[in-house]
Amino acid sequence: DVPTVPLQKDVGQQQKSLRLKAEALERTLDLDLRQPNDLARSHLLHRLNLIELPWGRISRTGGSARGTFHEIWSLRWQPEFVMKLIEASPWGHTLEAAATARSLERANNAANLGELSELVNQALLADLGGAVQAISRVLENRAAVSGDTVQLLQALPPLANVFRYGNVRQTDTALVAHMLDSLILRAAIALPLACAALNDDAAETLRQKIIAAHGAIALRDAEAQTQAWQRALQQIAASTQAHELLQGLASRLLLDEHLWGAADAAQALSLHLSSGAEPLKAAAWLEGFLNRNALVLLHDAALWQLVNDWLCGLGEEHFTHILPLVRRTFSTFSASERNDLGQRARQGARPVQVAASAPGWDEELAALPLPLLRTILGVAA
């Protein structure tokens, strides 16, 4: 006989109309966002999450999740969710109103730009147009006065995902594009200065943010913003004040984007990994340049040759001095990746027999890099 609060009644009506039964047993729900009923189900589940009622959790794995039109949810209704609905009823009499009000409160209390950016993403997923506009204004106002480069970089990936995949959910991404473009330009201007005078821990944190932001800017694919970001990377790669880890990373990103050729990368390798460079700084630069990606060494013949040439050019004393630091860089690869690199190094011996008759060919000299590479990789011959 206890009366049902309006919010609880609204959620119950939506569950019934969308044929979503509140069950205690866990089950998987695969939603095709091209279908109106499945899209409405997605909106319902996202709105419930915004009022902190986690009936559904998105699973990032599954066969159907390979396409952008699918969401796979894991659903399980808990008895205490009824109490959560009652507790959330002051936010509004309908789920849409309650989720909007709760989102705005979270936006006003957000600690950084990354939280606001993610909140915009969540509001768009929940189809809360009014909340998106209000949170966007808060985000723009905060960004205008923020001098924290890490926060600016943090805000880019969620907004880029909304821009790239928003049309799948039939949402208007024009507002998101405007915000994203503004944040990219601010981040590009601030980034070179932010890379200077950092300790190793701060440089590693910034490295992760730069990689994520680089992917976000590629998703946006706007000419002016991409050029501004590339100019920032070029400044970092050429800077003598930036941390060596970030210099190496910037150099690698420029090589991947074909803004640098093999000659540019070879010159940078020669500069930063020369015998006159401090071993710790040289190892940090190499770690950033390799970007902890063994597959690149395996499949990029030009990059493999650059590192190989550097190893061949090391004197015995310098090689012995820098070996532990370089092995630390390679230790970030998995055992299987290191084994594959060892196999790739062994394959380098095969052309010796083919080209042994070439004028000026020195078979012993050609085979010198192989034991060096095996030593660095820690694999057997």
Side-chain angles (χ1 to χ4, degrees):
D1 296 332
V2 177
T4 303
V5 298
L7 177 59
Q8 184 183 1
K9 185 177 181 180
D10 180 63
V11 171
Q13 289 175 344
Q14 292 189 49
Q15 288 173 327
K16 184 176 181 180
S17 64
L18 296 174
R19 298 191 298 276
L20 279 177
K21 188 176 180 181
E23 297 176 321
L25 295 177
E26 186 168 349
R27 68 187 183 98
T28 299
L29 182 66
D30 188 349
L31 300 180
D32 185 343
L33 302 179
R34 295 168 294 185
Q35 304 300 323
N37 190 67
D38 280 1
L39 183 60
R41 288 176 168 184
S42 176
H43 292 159
L44 170 65
L45 294 171
H46 280 293
R47 289 174 181 180
L48 288 172
N49 280 332
L50 280 172
I51 63 170
E52 299 165 3
L53 196 155
W55 179 21
R57 294 177 291 103
I58 289 185
S59 173
R60 298 299 178 184
T61 59
S64 299
R66 294 172 184 162
T68 59
F69 292 101
H70 282 268
E71 278 184 351
I72 296 182
W73 291 80
S74 178
L75 301 184
R76 187 175 182 181
W77 185 266
Q78 303 286 349
E80 60 267 23
F81 288 168
V82 176
M83 294 300 301
K84 285 184 175 294
L85 282 174
I86 296 173
E87 292 170 354
S89 59
W91 299 113
H93 291 170
T94 66
L95 180 57
E96 180 178 1
T100 298
R102 179 67 179 123
S103 299
L104 295 180
E105 185 190 55
R106 289 175 59 186
N108 291 326
N109 295 329
N112 54 59
L113 298 180
E115 288 185 23
L116 285 169
S117 180
E118 182 58 37
L119 198 54
V120 170
N121 185 25
Q122 294 174 15
L124 276 169
L125 294 175
D127 193 30
L128 301 174
V132 170
Q133 293 183 7
I135 299 169
S136 298
R137 285 193 293 271
V138 176
L139 176 58
E140 285 189 303
N141 292 337
R142 292 268 194 97
V145 297
S146 175
D148 192 329
T149 306
V150 173
Q151 286 195 32
L152 290 171
L153 296 175
Q154 257 183 328
L156 299 181
L159 292 178
N161 286 330
V162 171
F163 173 79
R164 177 65 179 84
Y165 303 114
N167 59 336
V168 175
R169 307 185 62 88
Q170 304 173 20
T171 56
D172 183 9
T173 58
L175 180 61
V176 174
H178 171 73
M179 281 192 304
L180 184 57
D181 290 346
S182 175
L183 289 174
I184 291 173
L185 293 176
R186 292 177 186 275
I189 293 171
L191 184 59
L193 184 59
C195 292
L198 297 177
N199 59 30
D200 292 343
D201 291 338
E204 172 58 27
T205 298
L206 190 54
R207 184 191 77 89
Q208 297 172 4
K209 304 304 180 186
I210 290 174
I211 292 173
H214 186 75
I217 292 166
L219 283 178
R220 176 63 182 99
D221 195 22
E223 183 177 0
Q225 282 66 32
T226 300
Q227 290 179 354
W229 179 255
Q230 291 172 347
R231 285 194 298 270
L233 293 178
Q234 289 170 340
Q235 292 178 42
I236 297 168
S239 173
T240 58
Q241 303 299 319
H243 192 282
E244 288 73 18
L245 178 71
L246 303 179
Q247 289 182 49
L249 174 63
S251 302
R252 177 53 196 283
L253 295 177
L254 290 170
L255 181 64
D256 288 345
E257 296 296 326
H258 306 291
L259 297 172
W260 274 21
D264 298 311
Q267 183 178 3
L269 274 166
S270 176
L271 173 64
H272 291 280
L273 304 179
S274 66
S275 58
E278 293 184 28
L280 281 173
K281 293 182 178 181
W285 190 93
L286 181 62
E287 181 179 354
F289 185 73
L290 294 180
N291 200 19
R292 301 182 179 179
N293 189 346
L295 293 179
V296 176
L297 275 177
L298 289 169
H299 299 297
D300 191 328
L303 179 57
W304 176 276
Q305 191 60 45
L306 289 172
V307 177
N308 180 70
D309 291 343
W310 168 62
L311 286 171
C312 293
L314 289 175
E316 180 178 355
E317 182 180 354
H318 185 56
F319 174 78
T320 304
H321 191 48
I322 205 172
L323 175 60
L325 305 173
V326 179
R327 289 198 68 174
R328 184 187 67 181
T329 298
F330 279 76
S331 70
T332 59
F333 304 151
S334 67
S336 62
E337 288 175 333
R338 293 198 301 272
N339 184 63
D340 290 342
L341 287 170
Q343 302 236 356
R344 172 71 174 82
R346 286 194 291 273
Q347 290 172 3
R350 295 178 184 174
V352 171
Q353 298 175 353
V354 177
S357 60
W361 181 266
D362 188 330
E363 184 173 337
E364 293 183 359
L365 181 61
L368 283 178
L370 300 180
L372 302 183
L373 285 170
R374 291 173 188 139
T375 302
I376 290 174
L377 296 172
V379 297

